[in-house]
C-alpha cells in the first residue's frame, strides 16, 4: 500500500483522495482552504498543515489544482521534501508549458512524473469511474496503475510527458465545439417548427449523431440523465469549459495549428460566462443561442431592468 501526499481537495480532489483511502492507501492531505481541509477531515482524511508535511515520507504525491502556475508554485517553487524516487502525478488540467516545466524540474530531482488529467466530473470522481489520460514514461505509468484504477475506470497511456494534457484539451475542445453545434441545430429546428423529439429521433440515428446530442442533449426532455433536465445544475461548469477552450487556444498558438472553430467556441463561452452563467453546466450554451428558452427552461431570474434615464 502506498503512502500518498494529496494536494488540492476541491470538488474533484476530495472524492479522489477518498477513493484512494478506501482502497487501503495511507493518504495525507493538504489544501490552502480551511473549509476544504475541514471537509476532508469530516470525510475521514487526515490533513497536514503544509504541503511539505503532506509530502514528507510519501512515496506518491498527487496534485489536483486549478491551474498550471499553482501546480508549479506548489511542486517546483515550493522545494518540497520529496522522498527519493517518489512518483509525482499531476491530475489537474493545466497548460502545456506548465506541464512541460513540471516534468522537467521534478525529473531533474530524480523523481518519476506523470501528467494525468481526468474526464468524468465530480460524479465520476466519487464513483471511481474517471477516465485518466496519462503522459510520461512507461515505467512511471506502470507504477501508477493501482492508484489510477482506484480512482478511474478507463486509464490510457497517451504517450510521453505532456501527452495526457494534450489529449485532455483536444477532447474538451471537441466537446465544446460539438455542444455548440448541437445547440445551433436544436435552436434552428425549433424555429423551423420541427418537434424537438422528432428531430432528436432522426438526428440521433443520422449523420448528425454525436455524444453531445445523444448522451448530453442541451434541451430538456430528450436525454433524461442530461443536466438540461435539472436547470443545468451539476455537470461540467461552463467556466471550466471556457478554461479548457482557452488552454486549447494557447496550445494552438504555440503549435501553430489553426483551430477556428475552437476559437469561436472559446469566444462564445466567454460571452456566456460574462452573462453570469459560468456555474451552469456547459450544455446551457443553448441559452446564448436561443434566449427565448431562458426563463422557461431555467430557474434563473432575469436581470433587473436598468433604471429609466
Ligand atoms: P476546485 O476549485 O473545486 O478545487 C481546487 C482546490 O485546490 C481548492 O480546494 C483550493 O483551495 C485548492 N488549492 C488552490 N491553491 C492551492 C495550493 N496552493 N495548495 C493547496 N491547495 C490549493 O477545482 P476542481 O473542480 O476540483 O478542479 C481541479 C482540477 O480538475 C482543475 O484543474 C479542473 O480543470 C480539473 N477538472 C475538473 C472537473 C470538474 O468537473 N470539476 C473535471 C475534470 C477536470
Amino acid at each position: 500500500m502506498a503512502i500518498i501526499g494529496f494536494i488540492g481537495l476541491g470538488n474533484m480532489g476530495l472524492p479522489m483522495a477518498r477513493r484512494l483511502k478506501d482502497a487501503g492507501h495511507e493518504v495525507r492531505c493538504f489544501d490552502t482552504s480551511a473549509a476544504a481541509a475541514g471537509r476532508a477531515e469530516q470525510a475521514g482524511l487526515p490533513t497536514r498543515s503544509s504541503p511539505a508535511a503532506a509530502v514528507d515520507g510519501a512515496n506518491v504525491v498527487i496534485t489536483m489544482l486549478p491551474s498550471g502556475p499553482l501546480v508549479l508554485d506548489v511542486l517546483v517553487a515550493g522545494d518540497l521534501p520529496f522522498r527519493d524516487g517518489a512518483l509525482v502525478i499531476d491530475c489537474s488540467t493545466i497548460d502545456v508549458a506548465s506541464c512541460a516545466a513540471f516534468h522537467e524540474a521534478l525529473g531533474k530531482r530524480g523523481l518519476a512524473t506523470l501528467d494525468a488529467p481526468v474526464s468524468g466530473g465530480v460524479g465520476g470522481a466519487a464513483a471511481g469511474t474517471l477516465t485518466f489520460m496519462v503522459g510520461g514514461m512507461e515505467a512511471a505509468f506502470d507504477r501508477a496503475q493501482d492508484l489510477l484504477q482506484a480512482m478511474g475506470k478507463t486509464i490510457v497511456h497517451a504517450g510521453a510527458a505532456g501527452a495526457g494534457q494534450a489529449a485532455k484539451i483536444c477532447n474538451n475542445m471537441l466537446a465544446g465545439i460539438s455542444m455548440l453545434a448541437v445547440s445551433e441545430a436544436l435552436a434552428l429546428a425549433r424555429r423551423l417548427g420541427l418537434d424537438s423529439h422528432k428531430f432528436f429521433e432522426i438526428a440521433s440515428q443520422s449523420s448528425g449523431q454525436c455524444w453531445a446530442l445523444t448522451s448530453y442533449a442541451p434541451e430538456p426532455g430528450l436525454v433524461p440523465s442530461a443536466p438540461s433536465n435539472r436547470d443545468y445544475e451539476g455537470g461540467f461548469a461552463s467556466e471550466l469549459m471556457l478554461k479548457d477552450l482557452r488552454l486549447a487556444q494557447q496550445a494552438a498558438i504555440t503549435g501553430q495549428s489553426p483551430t477556428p472553430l475552437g476559437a469561436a467556441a472559446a469566444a462564445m463561452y466567454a460571452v456566456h460566462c460574462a452573462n453570469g452563467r459560468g456555474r451552469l453546466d456547459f450544455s446551457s450554451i443553448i441559452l446564448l443561442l436561443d434566449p427565448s428558452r431562458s426563463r422557461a427552461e431555467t430557474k434563473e431570474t432575469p436581470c433587473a431592468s436598468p433604471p429609466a434615464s
Side-chain angles (χ1 to χ4, degrees):
M1 289 297 114
I3 301 173
I4 302 165
F6 200 110
I7 301 174
L9 304 166
N11 294 323
M12 296 294 288
L14 176 57
M16 289 165 70
R18 202 187 288 145
R19 297 280 319 174
L20 291 167
K21 177 177 176 283
D22 290 348
H25 301 289
E26 183 181 334
V27 187
R28 303 159 174 184
C29 299
F30 175 74
D31 195 296
T32 43
S33 152
R39 282 190 290 274
E41 289 281 352
Q42 273 184 353
L45 292 162
T47 57
R48 296 288 191 269
S49 57
S50 67
V55 161
D56 199 14
N59 43 21
V60 180
V61 174
I62 300 178
T63 43
M64 194 52 169
L65 294 166
S67 70
L70 276 174
V71 169
L72 294 181
D73 195 39
V74 172
L75 290 178
V76 180
D79 196 23
L80 297 176
F82 293 109
R83 190 161 155 173
D84 282 350
L87 170 64
V88 186
I89 309 173
D90 177 40
C91 295
S92 329
T93 303
I94 65 171
D95 59 285
V96 168
S98 296
C99 180
F102 147 75
H103 281 287
E104 192 186 343
L106 297 196
K108 278 186 186 153
R109 291 187 60 177
L111 301 165
T113 53
L114 292 172
D115 53 290
V118 304
S119 178
V122 178
T129 56
L130 293 172
T131 294
F132 281 89
M133 308 155 219
V134 189
M137 307 230 309
E138 191 86 43
F141 179 70
D142 290 345
R143 264 177 83 183
Q145 274 298 318
D146 280 357
L147 303 176
L148 300 183
Q149 273 168 16
M151 299 183 281
K153 195 169 76 171
T154 306
I155 322 290
V156 181
H157 189 200
Q165 293 297 348
K168 169 74 182 174
I169 57 178
C170 291
N171 176 73
N172 280 25
M173 184 179 80
L174 182 54
I177 293 169
S178 54
M179 185 55 75
L180 270 162
V182 167
S183 298
E184 272 189 21
L186 283 166
L188 178 60
R190 182 181 274 197
R191 294 217 174 191
L192 295 175
L194 271 170
D195 177 271
S196 294
H197 289 85
K198 288 288 171 203
F199 174 64
F200 178 82
E201 188 184 344
I202 293 162
S204 61
Q205 297 178 80
S206 303
S207 49
Q209 191 278 331
C210 63
W211 177 88
L213 178 68
T214 52
S215 297
Y216 216 86
E219 180 169 320
L222 300 177
V223 175
S225 58
S228 53
N229 300 291
R230 303 188 299 276
D231 294 322
Y232 303 99
E233 299 290 341
F236 185 62
S238 296
E239 61 193 12
L240 288 178
M241 175 53 83
L242 176 59
K243 170 193 163 182
D244 292 353
L245 287 167
R246 284 177 165 159
L247 292 178
Q249 287 306 290
Q250 277 177 29
I253 291 166
T254 309
Q256 298 188 355
S257 178
T259 52
L261 294 180
M268 293 190 70
Y269 273 96
V271 173
H272 191 52
C273 292
N275 285 344
R277 290 173 171 150
R279 303 300 279 185
L280 298 183
D281 177 73
F282 81 110
S283 61
S284 64
I285 196 73
I286 197 169
L287 304 177
L288 182 68
L289 291 160
D290 188 356
S292 68
R293 296 166 185 255
S294 301
R295 286 182 216 173
E297 294 176 16
T298 77
K299 284 186 194 141
E300 69 181 319
T301 43
C303 295
S305 311
S309 53

